[in-house]
Amino acid sequence: MNMKKIVTTLLVGSLTLALAACGNESAGPQQPTSVAQGQTANSKGLTEIPYQSIYKDSVFVGDSITEGLSFHDVLKEGNVLAGAGKTAEFALEDINELTERNPKQVFIQLGSDDILWPTDNPKEYSIQNYTKLINMIKEKLPQTKITLLTVTPVTPEAVKQEPRYENISDYNQALKELADKENIGFVDLSSIFTSGSDDLYDSDGIHFKPEYYTKLLDLLKDQVK
């Protein structure tokens, strides 16, 4: 083989390799094949539980703590009906919106703001409005399952800043009694707050990072129809 043929052969080989590389590049990264059906994979290739699918027929009613579910993009906004400063009384104003969404399951987590309400007996006042809210949901959405969630604890530092948070345990007991009386669901969230749970809190010791919400939804999965 003469020198001209050798050079030509080398150039053709190099061009073939370059085109093959470009072809693989344009196809993009291969999709993981080990992800189970109904799950998604994150950027690290790890599987994630599809919370938005599991809770697609649920609505979470509550205050700013509940609002974190959509704020942190754990659930869609359509599955969360909550806002800062929301109390059981203010939640009564949302009944029409809740009725329009027509969920199969309603999780209610109110009380963090209720126990701070400036009245002689915040717990009694709140439970009265909580009862009204439950009865309105029963009337408007008779097929909807209702589940009450306990008020989440705050850090010792937050209690020092606001001593009324010491009443959370007493308030949660009242919620349990209310759920029993109304024959509806009740979930105690205290199992989330074991050793190391301080890492779940935001800097104010009251609100939470995204990791709390995944733990919450893991705990509630069995409650979903």
Side-chain angles (χ1 to χ4, degrees), residues 181-213:
K181 179 182 176 182
E182 296 292 335
N183 193 29
I184 59 176
F186 176 82
V187 176
D188 183 350
L189 304 183
S190 60
S191 62
I192 296 176
F193 300 94
T194 56
S195 59
S197 62
D198 286 353
D199 292 338
L200 299 176
Y201 287 95
D202 270 339
S203 58
D204 64 0
I206 301 169
H207 295 87
F208 297 99
K209 300 174 183 176
E211 290 78 8
Y212 159 74
Y213 295 100

PDB file of all heavy atoms in Angstrom, residues 181-213:
ATOM      1  N   LYS A 181     -64.932  11.901  68.679  1.00  0.00           N
ATOM      2  CA  LYS A 181     -66.327  12.340  68.773  1.00  0.00           C
ATOM      3  C   LYS A 181     -66.986  12.399  67.397  1.00  0.00           C
ATOM      4  O   LYS A 181     -68.159  12.004  67.234  1.00  0.00           O
ATOM      5  CB  LYS A 181     -66.386  13.719  69.441  1.00  0.00           C
ATOM      6  CG  LYS A 181     -67.786  14.297  69.562  1.00  0.00           C
ATOM      7  CD  LYS A 181     -67.734  15.685  70.204  1.00  0.00           C
ATOM      8  CE  LYS A 181     -69.126  16.318  70.249  1.00  0.00           C
ATOM      9  NZ  LYS A 181     -69.076  17.703  70.828  1.00  0.00           N
ATOM     10  N   GLU A 182     -66.245  12.884  66.404  1.00  0.00           N
ATOM     11  CA  GLU A 182     -66.787  13.055  65.063  1.00  0.00           C
ATOM     12  C   GLU A 182     -66.623  11.808  64.195  1.00  0.00           C
ATOM     13  O   GLU A 182     -67.035  11.791  63.032  1.00  0.00           O
ATOM     14  CB  GLU A 182     -66.122  14.254  64.374  1.00  0.00           C
ATOM     15  CG  GLU A 182     -66.397  15.598  65.041  1.00  0.00           C
ATOM     16  CD  GLU A 182     -67.857  16.010  64.916  1.00  0.00           C
ATOM     17  OE1 GLU A 182     -68.533  15.560  63.966  1.00  0.00           O
ATOM     18  OE2 GLU A 182     -68.314  16.799  65.770  1.00  0.00           O
ATOM     19  N   ASN A 183     -65.985  10.793  64.759  1.00  0.00           N
ATOM     20  CA  ASN A 183     -65.768   9.524  64.044  1.00  0.00           C
ATOM     21  C   ASN A 183     -65.019   9.738  62.729  1.00  0.00           C
ATOM     22  O   ASN A 183     -65.425   9.270  61.660  1.00  0.00           O
ATOM     23  CB  ASN A 183     -67.103   8.826  63.777  1.00  0.00           C
ATOM     24  CG  ASN A 183     -66.929   7.383  63.341  1.00  0.00           C
ATOM     25  OD1 ASN A 183     -65.955   6.728  63.717  1.00  0.00           O
ATOM     26  ND2 ASN A 183     -67.862   6.879  62.541  1.00  0.00           N
ATOM     27  N   ILE A 184     -63.905  10.452  62.817  1.00  0.00           N
ATOM     28  CA  ILE A 184     -63.061  10.705  61.650  1.00  0.00           C
ATOM     29  C   ILE A 184     -61.636  10.270  61.965  1.00  0.00           C
ATOM     30  O   ILE A 184     -61.317   9.908  63.103  1.00  0.00           O
ATOM     31  CB  ILE A 184     -63.089  12.197  61.241  1.00  0.00           C
ATOM     32  CG1 ILE A 184     -62.603  13.077  62.398  1.00  0.00           C
ATOM     33  CG2 ILE A 184     -64.483  12.609  60.789  1.00  0.00           C
ATOM     34  CD1 ILE A 184     -62.510  14.551  62.046  1.00  0.00           C
ATOM     35  N   GLY A 185     -60.780  10.317  60.964  1.00  0.00           N
ATOM     36  CA  GLY A 185     -59.408   9.875  61.137  1.00  0.00           C
ATOM     37  C   GLY A 185     -58.571  10.820  61.988  1.00  0.00           C
ATOM     38  O   GLY A 185     -58.866  12.012  62.102  1.00  0.00           O
ATOM     39  N   PHE A 186     -57.533  10.263  62.581  1.00  0.00           N
ATOM     40  CA  PHE A 186     -56.616  11.056  63.406  1.00  0.00           C
ATOM     41  C   PHE A 186     -55.230  10.427  63.308  1.00  0.00           C
ATOM     42  O   PHE A 186     -55.081   9.217  63.450  1.00  0.00           O
ATOM     43  CB  PHE A 186     -57.072  11.064  64.863  1.00  0.00           C
ATOM     44  CG  PHE A 186     -56.128  11.768  65.803  1.00  0.00           C
ATOM     45  CD1 PHE A 186     -56.156  13.151  65.938  1.00  0.00           C
ATOM     46  CD2 PHE A 186     -55.202  11.048  66.553  1.00  0.00           C
ATOM     47  CE1 PHE A 186     -55.290  13.803  66.799  1.00  0.00           C
ATOM     48  CE2 PHE A 186     -54.330  11.694  67.423  1.00  0.00           C
ATOM     49  CZ  PHE A 186     -54.373  13.073  67.544  1.00  0.00           C
ATOM     50  N   VAL A 187     -54.221  11.254  63.052  1.00  0.00           N
ATOM     51  CA  VAL A 187     -52.845  10.769  62.965  1.00  0.00           C
ATOM     52  C   VAL A 187     -51.951  11.619  63.856  1.00  0.00           C
ATOM     53  O   VAL A 187     -51.888  12.844  63.707  1.00  0.00           O
ATOM     54  CB  VAL A 187     -52.311  10.798  61.520  1.00  0.00           C
ATOM     55  CG1 VAL A 187     -50.840  10.368  61.483  1.00  0.00           C
ATOM     56  CG2 VAL A 187     -53.147   9.885  60.624  1.00  0.00           C
ATOM     57  N   ASP A 188     -51.282  10.956  64.783  1.00  0.00           N
ATOM     58  CA  ASP A 188     -50.310  11.610  65.649  1.00  0.00           C
ATOM     59  C   ASP A 188     -48.972  11.647  64.909  1.00  0.00           C
ATOM     60  O   ASP A 188     -48.430  10.606  64.534  1.00  0.00           O
ATOM     61  CB  ASP A 188     -50.186  10.808  66.949  1.00  0.00           C
ATOM     62  CG  ASP A 188     -49.255  11.455  67.958  1.00  0.00           C
ATOM     63  OD1 ASP A 188     -48.555  12.429  67.606  1.00  0.00           O
ATOM     64  OD2 ASP A 188     -49.205  10.973  69.102  1.00  0.00           O
ATOM     65  N   LEU A 189     -48.430  12.827  64.702  1.00  0.00           N
ATOM     66  CA  LEU A 189     -47.192  12.986  63.928  1.00  0.00           C
ATOM     67  C   LEU A 189     -45.930  12.903  64.778  1.00  0.00           C
ATOM     68  O   LEU A 189     -44.825  13.099  64.267  1.00  0.00           O
ATOM     69  CB  LEU A 189     -47.206  14.332  63.192  1.00  0.00           C
ATOM     70  CG  LEU A 189     -48.403  14.601  62.271  1.00  0.00           C
ATOM     71  CD1 LEU A 189     -48.217  15.945  61.569  1.00  0.00           C
ATOM     72  CD2 LEU A 189     -48.580  13.490  61.253  1.00  0.00           C
ATOM     73  N   SER A 190     -46.073  12.584  66.049  1.00  0.00           N
ATOM     74  CA  SER A 190     -44.917  12.621  66.953  1.00  0.00           C
ATOM     75  C   SER A 190     -43.817  11.642  66.560  1.00  0.00           C
ATOM     76  O   SER A 190     -42.646  11.856  66.875  1.00  0.00           O
ATOM     77  CB  SER A 190     -45.365  12.341  68.394  1.00  0.00           C
ATOM     78  OG  SER A 190     -45.969  11.065  68.505  1.00  0.00           O
ATOM     79  N   SER A 191     -44.176  10.564  65.848  1.00  0.00           N
ATOM     80  CA  SER A 191     -43.155   9.574  65.469  1.00  0.00           C
ATOM     81  C   SER A 191     -42.122  10.151  64.499  1.00  0.00           C
ATOM     82  O   SER A 191     -41.024   9.605  64.354  1.00  0.00           O
ATOM     83  CB  SER A 191     -43.818   8.343  64.846  1.00  0.00           C
ATOM     84  OG  SER A 191     -44.512   8.690  63.661  1.00  0.00           O
ATOM     85  N   ILE A 192     -42.469  11.248  63.837  1.00  0.00           N
ATOM     86  CA  ILE A 192     -41.515  11.891  62.928  1.00  0.00           C
ATOM     87  C   ILE A 192     -40.393  12.557  63.715  1.00  0.00           C
ATOM     88  O   ILE A 192     -39.255  12.650  63.251  1.00  0.00           O
ATOM     89  CB  ILE A 192     -42.226  12.947  62.050  1.00  0.00           C
ATOM     90  CG1 ILE A 192     -43.256  12.287  61.135  1.00  0.00           C
ATOM     91  CG2 ILE A 192     -41.230  13.764  61.218  1.00  0.00           C
ATOM     92  CD1 ILE A 192     -44.071  13.267  60.310  1.00  0.00           C
ATOM     93  N   PHE A 193     -40.727  12.980  64.921  1.00  0.00           N
ATOM     94  CA  PHE A 193     -39.795  13.813  65.692  1.00  0.00           C
ATOM     95  C   PHE A 193     -39.045  12.984  66.732  1.00  0.00           C
ATOM     96  O   PHE A 193     -39.230  13.110  67.935  1.00  0.00           O
ATOM     97  CB  PHE A 193     -40.557  14.967  66.345  1.00  0.00           C
ATOM     98  CG  PHE A 193     -41.229  15.843  65.335  1.00  0.00           C
ATOM     99  CD1 PHE A 193     -42.562  15.610  64.984  1.00  0.00           C
ATOM    100  CD2 PHE A 193     -40.541  16.854  64.691  1.00  0.00           C
ATOM    101  CE1 PHE A 193     -43.184  16.390  64.030  1.00  0.00           C
ATOM    102  CE2 PHE A 193     -41.153  17.639  63.740  1.00  0.00           C
ATOM    103  CZ  PHE A 193     -42.479  17.408  63.401  1.00  0.00           C
ATOM    104  N   THR A 194     -38.167  12.120  66.213  1.00  0.00           N
ATOM    105  CA  THR A 194     -37.311  11.305  67.063  1.00  0.00           C
ATOM    106  C   THR A 194     -35.942  11.966  67.134  1.00  0.00           C
ATOM    107  O   THR A 194     -35.777  13.124  66.758  1.00  0.00           O
ATOM    108  CB  THR A 194     -37.206   9.883  66.490  1.00  0.00           C
ATOM    109  OG1 THR A 194     -36.739   9.967  65.131  1.00  0.00           O
ATOM    110  CG2 THR A 194     -38.573   9.189  66.497  1.00  0.00           C
ATOM    111  N   SER A 195     -34.946  11.245  67.589  1.00  0.00           N
ATOM    112  CA  SER A 195     -33.604  11.812  67.687  1.00  0.00           C
ATOM    113  C   SER A 195     -33.109  12.240  66.310  1.00  0.00           C
ATOM    114  O   SER A 195     -33.309  11.539  65.313  1.00  0.00           O
ATOM    115  CB  SER A 195     -32.642  10.774  68.275  1.00  0.00           C
ATOM    116  OG  SER A 195     -32.609   9.617  67.485  1.00  0.00           O
ATOM    117  N   GLY A 196     -32.492  13.396  66.266  1.00  0.00           N
ATOM    118  CA  GLY A 196     -31.987  13.926  65.006  1.00  0.00           C
ATOM    119  C   GLY A 196     -32.987  14.748  64.229  1.00  0.00           C
ATOM    120  O   GLY A 196     -32.677  15.254  63.149  1.00  0.00           O
ATOM    121  N   SER A 197     -34.189  14.892  64.780  1.00  0.00           N
ATOM    122  CA  SER A 197     -35.228  15.626  64.049  1.00  0.00           C
ATOM    123  C   SER A 197     -34.980  17.131  64.029  1.00  0.00           C
ATOM    124  O   SER A 197     -35.649  17.852  63.291  1.00  0.00           O
ATOM    125  CB  SER A 197     -36.607  15.344  64.657  1.00  0.00           C
ATOM    126  OG  SER A 197     -36.676  15.788  66.001  1.00  0.00           O
ATOM    127  N   ASP A 198     -34.033  17.608  64.825  1.00  0.00           N
ATOM    128  CA  ASP A 198     -33.722  19.042  64.815  1.00  0.00           C
ATOM    129  C   ASP A 198     -33.308  19.501  63.417  1.00  0.00           C
ATOM    130  O   ASP A 198     -33.497  20.669  63.056  1.00  0.00           O
ATOM    131  CB  ASP A 198     -32.611  19.362  65.813  1.00  0.00           C
ATOM    132  CG  ASP A 198     -33.097  19.308  67.258  1.00  0.00           C
ATOM    133  OD1 ASP A 198     -34.316  19.151  67.458  1.00  0.00           O
ATOM    134  OD2 ASP A 198     -32.262  19.392  68.172  1.00  0.00           O
ATOM    135  N   ASP A 199     -32.762  18.578  62.633  1.00  0.00           N
ATOM    136  CA  ASP A 199     -32.319  18.930  61.286  1.00  0.00           C
ATOM    137  C   ASP A 199     -33.494  19.197  60.347  1.00  0.00           C
ATOM    138  O   ASP A 199     -33.297  19.708  59.243  1.00  0.00           O
ATOM    139  CB  ASP A 199     -31.465  17.799  60.700  1.00  0.00           C
ATOM    140  CG  ASP A 199     -30.140  17.647  61.427  1.00  0.00           C
ATOM    141  OD1 ASP A 199     -29.700  18.623  62.066  1.00  0.00           O
ATOM    142  OD2 ASP A 199     -29.537  16.558  61.356  1.00  0.00           O
ATOM    143  N   LEU A 200     -34.700  18.836  60.773  1.00  0.00           N
ATOM    144  CA  LEU A 200     -35.877  19.046  59.932  1.00  0.00           C
ATOM    145  C   LEU A 200     -36.374  20.483  59.981  1.00  0.00           C
ATOM    146  O   LEU A 200     -37.100  20.924  59.095  1.00  0.00           O
ATOM    147  CB  LEU A 200     -37.013  18.116  60.361  1.00  0.00           C
ATOM    148  CG  LEU A 200     -36.759  16.610  60.271  1.00  0.00           C
ATOM    149  CD1 LEU A 200     -37.965  15.858  60.833  1.00  0.00           C
ATOM    150  CD2 LEU A 200     -36.495  16.193  58.829  1.00  0.00           C
ATOM    151  N   TYR A 201     -35.984  21.221  61.033  1.00  0.00           N
ATOM    152  CA  TYR A 201     -36.527  22.560  61.260  1.00  0.00           C
ATOM    153  C   TYR A 201     -35.808  23.633  60.465  1.00  0.00           C
ATOM    154  O   TYR A 201     -34.602  23.566  60.230  1.00  0.00           O
ATOM    155  CB  TYR A 201     -36.428  22.930  62.744  1.00  0.00           C
ATOM    156  CG  TYR A 201     -37.403  22.209  63.631  1.00  0.00           C
ATOM    157  CD1 TYR A 201     -37.032  21.041  64.297  1.00  0.00           C
ATOM    158  CD2 TYR A 201     -38.689  22.698  63.840  1.00  0.00           C
ATOM    159  CE1 TYR A 201     -37.916  20.375  65.133  1.00  0.00           C
ATOM    160  CE2 TYR A 201     -39.580  22.045  64.670  1.00  0.00           C
ATOM    161  CZ  TYR A 201     -39.190  20.882  65.315  1.00  0.00           C
ATOM    162  OH  TYR A 201     -40.070  20.225  66.127  1.00  0.00           O
ATOM    163  N   ASP A 202     -36.572  24.649  60.068  1.00  0.00           N
ATOM    164  CA  ASP A 202     -35.984  25.879  59.562  1.00  0.00           C
ATOM    165  C   ASP A 202     -35.402  26.663  60.728  1.00  0.00           C
ATOM    166  O   ASP A 202     -35.536  26.268  61.887  1.00  0.00           O
ATOM    167  CB  ASP A 202     -37.045  26.718  58.837  1.00  0.00           C
ATOM    168  CG  ASP A 202     -37.127  26.380  57.353  1.00  0.00           C
ATOM    169  OD1 ASP A 202     -36.144  25.836  56.829  1.00  0.00           O
ATOM    170  OD2 ASP A 202     -38.169  26.643  56.737  1.00  0.00           O
ATOM    171  N   SER A 203     -34.811  27.785  60.433  1.00  0.00           N
ATOM    172  CA  SER A 203     -34.095  28.554  61.461  1.00  0.00           C
ATOM    173  C   SER A 203     -34.993  29.059  62.579  1.00  0.00           C
ATOM    174  O   SER A 203     -34.516  29.300  63.688  1.00  0.00           O
ATOM    175  CB  SER A 203     -33.366  29.735  60.806  1.00  0.00           C
ATOM    176  OG  SER A 203     -34.284  30.567  60.110  1.00  0.00           O
ATOM    177  N   ASP A 204     -36.310  29.216  62.322  1.00  0.00           N
ATOM    178  CA  ASP A 204     -37.190  29.735  63.370  1.00  0.00           C
ATOM    179  C   ASP A 204     -37.621  28.668  64.369  1.00  0.00           C
ATOM    180  O   ASP A 204     -38.236  28.980  65.389  1.00  0.00           O
ATOM    181  CB  ASP A 204     -38.420  30.418  62.763  1.00  0.00           C
ATOM    182  CG  ASP A 204     -39.312  29.456  61.986  1.00  0.00           C
ATOM    183  OD1 ASP A 204     -38.999  28.251  61.901  1.00  0.00           O
ATOM    184  OD2 ASP A 204     -40.354  29.917  61.462  1.00  0.00           O
ATOM    185  N   GLY A 205     -37.299  27.408  64.092  1.00  0.00           N
ATOM    186  CA  GLY A 205     -37.660  26.331  65.009  1.00  0.00           C
ATOM    187  C   GLY A 205     -39.134  25.982  65.001  1.00  0.00           C
ATOM    188  O   GLY A 205     -39.621  25.232  65.854  1.00  0.00           O
ATOM    189  N   ILE A 206     -39.866  26.492  64.015  1.00  0.00           N
ATOM    190  CA  ILE A 206     -41.320  26.268  63.909  1.00  0.00           C
ATOM    191  C   ILE A 206     -41.669  25.629  62.565  1.00  0.00           C
ATOM    192  O   ILE A 206     -42.405  24.649  62.504  1.00  0.00           O
ATOM    193  CB  ILE A 206     -42.088  27.595  64.066  1.00  0.00           C
ATOM    194  CG1 ILE A 206     -41.783  28.230  65.425  1.00  0.00           C
ATOM    195  CG2 ILE A 206     -43.595  27.376  63.895  1.00  0.00           C
ATOM    196  CD1 ILE A 206     -42.293  29.661  65.559  1.00  0.00           C
ATOM    197  N   HIS A 207     -41.125  26.191  61.503  1.00  0.00           N
ATOM    198  CA  HIS A 207     -41.391  25.697  60.155  1.00  0.00           C
ATOM    199  C   HIS A 207     -40.330  24.658  59.760  1.00  0.00           C
ATOM    200  O   HIS A 207     -39.378  24.421  60.507  1.00  0.00           O
ATOM    201  CB  HIS A 207     -41.447  26.864  59.175  1.00  0.00           C
ATOM    202  CG  HIS A 207     -42.583  27.795  59.444  1.00  0.00           C
ATOM    203  ND1 HIS A 207     -42.488  28.848  60.331  1.00  0.00           N
ATOM    204  CD2 HIS A 207     -43.848  27.827  58.953  1.00  0.00           C
ATOM    205  CE1 HIS A 207     -43.647  29.488  60.385  1.00  0.00           C
ATOM    206  NE2 HIS A 207     -44.486  28.887  59.561  1.00  0.00           N
ATOM    207  N   PHE A 208     -40.505  24.082  58.552  1.00  0.00           N
ATOM    208  CA  PHE A 208     -39.698  22.910  58.224  1.00  0.00           C
ATOM    209  C   PHE A 208     -39.042  22.973  56.856  1.00  0.00           C
ATOM    210  O   PHE A 208     -39.499  23.657  55.948  1.00  0.00           O
ATOM    211  CB  PHE A 208     -40.575  21.652  58.297  1.00  0.00           C
ATOM    212  CG  PHE A 208     -41.124  21.388  59.661  1.00  0.00           C
ATOM    213  CD1 PHE A 208     -42.423  21.772  59.978  1.00  0.00           C
ATOM    214  CD2 PHE A 208     -40.353  20.798  60.637  1.00  0.00           C
ATOM    215  CE1 PHE A 208     -42.938  21.557  61.241  1.00  0.00           C
ATOM    216  CE2 PHE A 208     -40.854  20.574  61.903  1.00  0.00           C
ATOM    217  CZ  PHE A 208     -42.150  20.958  62.218  1.00  0.00           C
ATOM    218  N   LYS A 209     -37.986  22.183  56.735  1.00  0.00           N
ATOM    219  CA  LYS A 209     -37.292  21.972  55.475  1.00  0.00           C
ATOM    220  C   LYS A 209     -38.046  20.895  54.673  1.00  0.00           C
ATOM    221  O   LYS A 209     -38.901  20.193  55.219  1.00  0.00           O
ATOM    222  CB  LYS A 209     -35.856  21.520  55.748  1.00  0.00           C
ATOM    223  CG  LYS A 209     -35.031  22.520  56.544  1.00  0.00           C
ATOM    224  CD  LYS A 209     -33.668  21.943  56.896  1.00  0.00           C
ATOM    225  CE  LYS A 209     -32.859  22.903  57.762  1.00  0.00           C
ATOM    226  NZ  LYS A 209     -31.560  22.312  58.184  1.00  0.00           N
ATOM    227  N   PRO A 210     -37.709  20.734  53.395  1.00  0.00           N
ATOM    228  CA  PRO A 210     -38.413  19.744  52.564  1.00  0.00           C
ATOM    229  C   PRO A 210     -38.385  18.325  53.121  1.00  0.00           C
ATOM    230  O   PRO A 210     -39.337  17.558  52.922  1.00  0.00           O
ATOM    231  CB  PRO A 210     -37.671  19.826  51.233  1.00  0.00           C
ATOM    232  CG  PRO A 210     -37.120  21.214  51.186  1.00  0.00           C
ATOM    233  CD  PRO A 210     -36.762  21.546  52.600  1.00  0.00           C
ATOM    234  N   GLU A 211     -37.320  17.967  53.823  1.00  0.00           N
ATOM    235  CA  GLU A 211     -37.196  16.596  54.335  1.00  0.00           C
ATOM    236  C   GLU A 211     -38.335  16.223  55.279  1.00  0.00           C
ATOM    237  O   GLU A 211     -38.749  15.056  55.339  1.00  0.00           O
ATOM    238  CB  GLU A 211     -35.851  16.422  55.054  1.00  0.00           C
ATOM    239  CG  GLU A 211     -34.633  16.442  54.161  1.00  0.00           C
ATOM    240  CD  GLU A 211     -34.216  17.841  53.732  1.00  0.00           C
ATOM    241  OE1 GLU A 211     -34.791  18.832  54.252  1.00  0.00           O
ATOM    242  OE2 GLU A 211     -33.323  17.969  52.877  1.00  0.00           O
ATOM    243  N   TYR A 212     -38.839  17.197  56.020  1.00  0.00           N
ATOM    244  CA  TYR A 212     -39.969  16.905  56.918  1.00  0.00           C
ATOM    245  C   TYR A 212     -41.188  16.449  56.119  1.00  0.00           C
ATOM    246  O   TYR A 212     -41.898  15.517  56.527  1.00  0.00           O
ATOM    247  CB  TYR A 212     -40.335  18.150  57.739  1.00  0.00           C
ATOM    248  CG  TYR A 212     -41.745  18.090  58.279  1.00  0.00           C
ATOM    249  CD1 TYR A 212     -42.073  17.259  59.354  1.00  0.00           C
ATOM    250  CD2 TYR A 212     -42.771  18.834  57.688  1.00  0.00           C
ATOM    251  CE1 TYR A 212     -43.385  17.179  59.829  1.00  0.00           C
ATOM    252  CE2 TYR A 212     -44.077  18.758  58.157  1.00  0.00           C
ATOM    253  CZ  TYR A 212     -44.373  17.933  59.221  1.00  0.00           C
ATOM    254  OH  TYR A 212     -45.668  17.842  59.687  1.00  0.00           O
ATOM    255  N   TYR A 213     -41.436  17.094  54.998  1.00  0.00           N
ATOM    256  CA  TYR A 213     -42.656  16.823  54.226  1.00  0.00           C
ATOM    257  C   TYR A 213     -42.637  15.439  53.579  1.00  0.00           C
ATOM    258  O   TYR A 213     -43.683  14.799  53.442  1.00  0.00           O
ATOM    259  CB  TYR A 213     -42.879  17.934  53.203  1.00  0.00           C
ATOM    260  CG  TYR A 213     -43.143  19.251  53.891  1.00  0.00           C
ATOM    261  CD1 TYR A 213     -42.140  20.211  54.035  1.00  0.00           C
ATOM    262  CD2 TYR A 213     -44.381  19.515  54.471  1.00  0.00           C
ATOM    263  CE1 TYR A 213     -42.368  21.400  54.707  1.00  0.00           C
ATOM    264  CE2 TYR A 213     -44.620  20.699  55.148  1.00  0.00           C
ATOM    265  CZ  TYR A 213     -43.614  21.641  55.271  1.00  0.00           C
ATOM    266  OH  TYR A 213     -43.847  22.808  55.959  1.00  0.00           O
TER     267      TYR A 213
END
